[in-house]
Amino acid sequence: MLAALLISAAALLADAEPAENPFDRTIQLRPALADGANAPHPLALAVPTYDRVQGDATPIYSQAFLMLPRTYGDDLDESFADQVNTALEQEPGDLDRDLHRMIAKRYESSLDLASVASRRSQAGMHTTVREFGVAALLPQLNPAREVANALRLRANLAADEGRWDDWLSDVTTMIRLSQQIADHDDAVLVEGLVAAAIGGLALDTIHKADSVPDRPNLYWSLLAVDFDLDLLALLQAETLWIEASLPELADPEAMTADRFVSLLARVNELTEFAGDGAGPLARMASNTATTAFMLAQARAWLLENTDFVEADLDAMSPFEVIAHYLGESVDQAYAELFRITLMPLPEAIDAAEAFDERIQDPSYGSLLVQVLMPSVTRARVSLVRLDRERDGLIVIEALRDHVARFDELPDTLDAVELPLPRDPGTGEPFGYERLGENEAVLRAEHVDGFRDRDSWTWKLEVAGE
């Protein structure tokens, strides 16, 4: 539900870099042993238990957010935001160091606090969504995005200058920030999507440092990274959010004309927040004919999809009938979502695509379903895409280790001594092809239902020292 309203927050964090035909990315593969002298501790990216501090991260993040130099919203500093955007386009090995140092200095206090918060044992950035609705998420998600981008810039500067301990520290903070956003019992889908997007930024930051000499091998460290995003739990939490956002649906028998107008006003607020102030339910508060039409839909749907019979509906007020219709249709739609999340890929993708198409049909559910349901296809793919990126990086690090040991790329992935993950999108090994003495291709193959950018082809070039 919340994903339908705040999906743009996740989109702003997503890597929108256009593909370079025929390769999505060319990686300078610099050999480095996974267990070499400069290899980081295996738990370097996981904030190991011995380095954690008891306490709640939330108030520390809140202070960090208050100190941010805003690059969004009413307090936007346009000139500084432009400088940040320019810096974000640069990669280690080709940075404007003075620009990055200036930006890092302005963010220093916030980033240092975020680093402290990332080590706290209680990792949930709790909000008051149930009490105050969807807007309660904004004080957390938008600043979290800015912190993630600032960490990325500071990490890129550290990589460019060869300060690998500082680089690892900032990448670790990004990963922990990603984990903490959705690490509480009430986390909803949009929090999971933003968490996945920030996790993707952390992985992309690792990617961006591939071409820098002496970058340590992160094979064992990446194996310890678990973003732990449970799509089913996130969707289940959203059903609880309904009780807070649309309390009128909790007691259909008490639905009156006044309560019905209140319900429509609440939905109007949601559609305005989603950038759709003229949404179908928003118009009903002032359109009696449309409300009457909705009553006809409600009766037909309830008779078809519930145990109600004509006599039951005749005994109800029109508003009570509509209240049952709205509540039951949302409940049934979420039940279908839960079923889809438990399916394995690719069956889940096919079912999710069918569901996304079906909810646009008024005969499937109420207009409330159309307004509030998230795109389950996008949600499922976004979380799989994060795991694909991490596991692809693990394969890259294993190949760096192989080249360091044998002075050449393997002919096949079977020749790599370190254990390799399978592609989470297909359940099969990642695609690999050696092109020549110092070149190869690694692929996450296309899966039906995935967008083009959810699969990738990386060209690997062994870099000379």
Side-chain angles (χ1 to χ4, degrees):
M1 177 186 299
L2 290 175
L5 305 177
L6 284 175
I7 196 72
S8 60
L12 288 170
L13 288 168
D15 183 9
E17 180 179 319
E20 299 174 12
N21 195 21
F23 304 110
D24 297 289
R25 173 168 289 156
T26 297
I27 297 174
Q28 293 292 311
L29 200 69
R30 293 188 177 272
L33 292 171
D35 56 358
N38 67 336
H41 189 280
L43 295 179
L45 296 176
V47 186
T49 302
Y50 62 77
D51 196 37
R52 285 192 182 157
V53 178
Q54 291 297 318
D56 186 5
T58 306
I60 304 175
Y61 275 121
S62 296
Q63 185 62 35
F65 295 163
L66 286 173
M67 301 173 71
L68 287 170
R70 300 294 184 191
T71 57
Y72 64 91
D74 295 336
D75 299 326
L76 169 67
D77 181 338
E78 253 184 78
S79 175
F80 181 64
D82 289 342
Q83 291 174 315
V84 170
N85 289 333
T86 296
L88 285 170
E89 294 174 357
Q90 301 174 1
E91 299 184 11
D94 189 26
L95 294 185
D96 180 341
R97 290 188 180 181
D98 289 338
L99 174 62
H100 277 69
R101 287 172 186 147
M102 181 276 292
I103 293 172
K105 186 65 176 177
R106 288 196 62 177
Y107 278 113
E108 184 175 14
S109 296
S110 290
L111 300 191
D112 288 349
L113 283 171
S115 179
V116 171
S118 71
R119 295 169 55 211
R120 289 299 174 106
S121 58
Q122 298 176 22
M125 296 210 298
H126 301 283
T127 64
T128 53
V129 172
R130 292 194 192 181
E131 291 78 11
F132 298 104
V134 68
L137 286 170
L138 295 184
Q140 301 282 14
L141 298 185
N142 282 335
R145 177 193 68 191
E146 185 169 3
V147 165
N149 277 325
L151 284 165
R152 183 185 192 183
L153 290 175
R154 193 167 75 170
N156 285 346
L157 176 62
D160 197 67
E161 296 177 341
R163 294 181 285 107
W164 295 112
D165 287 344
D166 293 338
W167 178 78
L168 273 172
S169 177
D170 282 342
V171 172
T172 300
T173 300
M174 292 174 70
I175 289 174
R176 277 296 287 164
L177 173 60
S178 168
Q179 294 166 329
Q180 288 168 327
I181 286 176
D183 187 19
H184 60 95
D185 292 340
D186 294 337
V188 291
L189 182 55
V190 69
E191 291 170 284
L193 292 175
V194 172
I198 291 177
L201 282 181
L203 298 177
D204 190 62
T205 302
I206 294 172
H207 258 313
K208 291 295 193 292
D210 284 326
S211 62
V212 182
D214 301 322
R215 204 266 275 166
N217 192 307
L218 299 182
Y219 173 84
W220 296 107
S221 298
L222 283 166
L223 281 179
V225 173
D226 183 0
F227 291 102
D228 193 26
L229 294 171
D230 184 340
L231 181 57
L232 179 60
L234 295 170
L235 289 172
Q236 287 173 329
E238 289 202 2
T239 64
L240 301 176
W241 182 80
I242 296 174
E243 299 174 6
S245 297
L246 304 173
E248 293 83 5
L249 295 183
D251 188 6
E253 287 76 13
M255 184 66 73
T256 63
D258 288 342
R259 286 176 63 83
F260 185 60
V261 170
S262 175
L263 170 65
L264 294 178
R266 287 176 181 273
V267 175
N268 188 27
E269 292 174 0
L270 297 181
T271 53
E272 283 183 351
F273 191 86
D276 185 17
L281 286 179
R283 293 194 295 267
M284 290 184 186
S286 58
N287 192 330
T288 304
T290 305
T291 304
F293 175 73
M294 188 177 182
L295 176 62
Q297 283 189 319
R299 290 183 66 94
W301 190 90
L302 289 170
L303 292 173
E304 177 70 23
N305 296 281
T306 71
D307 294 332
F308 287 120
V309 297
E310 289 279 4
D312 297 325
L313 302 183
D314 290 341
M316 300 178 190
S317 72
F319 301 113
E320 182 181 347
V321 172
I322 293 176
H324 277 292
Y325 169 48
L326 296 176
E328 292 279 354
S329 63
V330 169
D331 287 346
Q332 289 193 21
Y334 268 106
E336 178 69 5
L337 283 182
F338 298 158
R339 185 182 71 84
I340 292 171
T341 62
L342 295 173
M343 292 180 177
L345 291 174
E347 291 90 338
I349 297 299
D350 291 339
E353 283 190 310
F355 175 83
D356 289 340
E357 182 176 348
R358 194 159 60 246
I359 62 174
Q360 301 306 315
D361 182 351
S363 66
Y364 173 77
S366 66
L367 290 172
L368 190 58
V369 170
Q370 297 176 33
V371 171
L372 299 176
M373 286 294 107
S375 167
V376 67
T377 304
R378 180 169 182 179
R380 186 71 184 262
V381 168
S382 294
L383 301 189
V384 173
R385 181 174 183 245
L386 179 65
D387 290 338
R388 279 188 132 184
E389 189 89 357
R390 179 203 57 210
D391 291 348
L393 276 175
I394 291 172
V395 175
I396 291 293
E397 298 302 270
L399 289 170
R400 294 180 68 208
D401 177 85
H402 183 94
V403 175
R405 294 180 189 280
F406 302 106
D407 294 322
E408 64 176 359
L409 288 163
D411 291 329
T412 68
L413 290 182
D414 290 337
V416 176
E417 294 182 354
L418 292 172
L420 299 180
R422 288 175 173 262
D423 180 352
T426 64
E428 300 295 329
F430 283 95
Y432 174 82
E433 179 183 359
R434 184 171 175 176
L435 301 179
E437 182 179 358
N438 294 311
E439 293 184 346
V441 170
L442 187 70
R443 294 188 183 90
E445 303 289 356
H446 176 72
V447 177
D448 288 343
F450 280 44
R451 295 165 297 178
D452 288 343
R453 74 177 197 179
D454 296 319
S455 304
W456 38 258
T457 301
W458 296 341
K459 184 180 181 182
L460 316 179
E461 296 179 347
V462 178
E465 297 298 329

